[in-house]
């Protein structure tokens, strides 16, 4: 296996959704533009606690509203289709989807409105480069990158076809979402 940043690649060939479906259930991978990225090892306890806390706050806020909250693992076919020839399927840590037509039995079809990736040693490079570029390209409206150890946060907000320069904050204090300013998230510590 080759290493790209801290994230293992399946190998140097181009993969499709058809290949992705053929891999065993004991392996977790993401495809970004045909490149297979390992989703192993499993996240650390601090990562999962933080993810659950943020997911709880989001779910409480969106209860009875049209937007829906999802926590990984769930497949996101960001192009809007899961054609065998597509070459991208990702599993964001935490997301909000406001278009119910995107939510189908096999996963999410199209860009979520808001995504948060909680950094881990195995995914830090991919989350800050490959996924940021992918989410920008496919129209994610707001993207957060969160360090679970320091609670430092980078927040990318869409302006036209691109993300603006990121804002910075700490989830030690309440932080509002740009898309939903009446909602603030905190690490709850």
């Amino acid at each position: 296996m080759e290493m790209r940043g801290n994230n293992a690649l399946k190998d140097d060939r181009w993969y499709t959704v058809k290949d992705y479906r053929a891999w065993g259930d004991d392996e977790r991978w993401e495809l970004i533009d045909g490149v297979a990225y390992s989703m192993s090892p499993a996240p650390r306890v601090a990562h999962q606690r933080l993810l659950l806390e943020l997911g709880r706050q989001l779910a409480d806020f969106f209860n009875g509203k049209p937007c829906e909250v999802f926590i990984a693992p769930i497949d996101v076919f960001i192009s809007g289709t899961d054609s065998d020839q597509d070459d991208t399927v990702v599993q964001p840590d935490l997301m909000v989807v406001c278009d119910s037509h995107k939510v189908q039995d096999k996963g999410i079809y199209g860009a979520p409105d808001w995504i948060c990736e909680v950094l881990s040693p195995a995914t830090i490079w991919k989350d800050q480069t490959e996924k940021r570029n992918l989410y920008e390209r496919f129209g994610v409206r707001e993207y957060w990158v969160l360090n679970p150890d320091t609670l430092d946060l980078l927040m990318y907000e869409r302006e036209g076809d691109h993300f603006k320069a990121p804002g910075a904050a700490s989830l030690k204090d309440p932080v509002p979402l740009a898309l939903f300013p009446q909602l603030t998230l905190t690490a709850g510590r």
Side-chain angles (χ1 to χ4, degrees):
M1 291 210 163
E2 176 186 330
M3 295 296 288
R4 181 181 275 189
N6 290 332
N7 205 28
L9 300 175
K10 197 159 183 77
D11 61 34
D12 280 337
R13 64 172 278 230
W14 180 77
Y15 291 97
T16 65
V17 168
K18 182 178 180 178
D19 298 315
Y20 176 83
R21 288 191 178 116
W23 297 332
D25 290 338
D26 58 332
E27 297 181 72
R28 285 192 51 226
W29 296 88
E30 289 184 307
L31 289 179
I32 299 176
D33 297 326
V35 177
Y37 294 91
S38 174
M39 296 294 289
S40 295
R44 296 177 303 157
V45 170
H47 178 284
Q48 292 302 90
R49 281 183 178 145
L50 185 55
L51 192 57
L52 184 60
E53 175 59 26
L54 296 177
R56 183 195 59 75
Q57 291 174 43
L58 286 163
D60 286 350
F61 178 81
F62 287 111
N63 186 30
K65 296 180 175 87
C67 298
E68 197 167 353
V69 179
F70 295 93
I71 293 178
I74 186 169
D75 288 336
V76 174
F77 302 95
I78 202 157
S79 71
T81 177
D82 67 352
S83 161
D84 281 350
Q85 296 310 306
D86 281 351
D87 64 1
T88 301
V89 56
V90 291
Q91 296 182 355
D93 286 324
L94 184 59
M95 70 194 102
V96 173
V97 179
C98 296
D99 180 348
S100 64
H101 293 98
K102 293 180 180 180
V103 180
Q104 298 179 25
D105 187 53
K106 288 197 235 174
I108 308 301
Y109 289 79
D113 295 276
W114 179 89
I115 292 177
C116 179
E117 295 285 5
V118 179
L119 298 175
S120 65
T123 65
I124 191 168
W125 177 85
K126 177 183 64 170
D127 290 342
Q128 293 182 319
T129 59
E130 298 295 317
K131 281 190 160 182
R132 191 201 73 77
N133 294 337
L134 179 76
Y135 296 157
E136 180 178 57
R137 189 172 83 221
F138 279 94
V140 171
R141 295 169 56 199
E142 186 172 357
Y143 176 45
W144 285 17
V145 180
L146 177 60
N147 181 321
D149 299 321
T150 64
L151 300 180
D152 291 335
L153 178 65
L154 288 177
M155 303 167 295
Y156 295 91
E157 185 181 346
R158 179 162 292 286
E159 184 174 74
D161 291 339
H162 300 286
F163 287 136
K164 298 190 295 191
S170 171
L171 276 185
K172 292 176 185 174
D173 300 310
V175 177
L177 280 71
L179 286 178
F180 311 101
Q182 63 277 28
L183 168 61
T184 59
L185 297 180
T186 184
R189 295 180 185 181

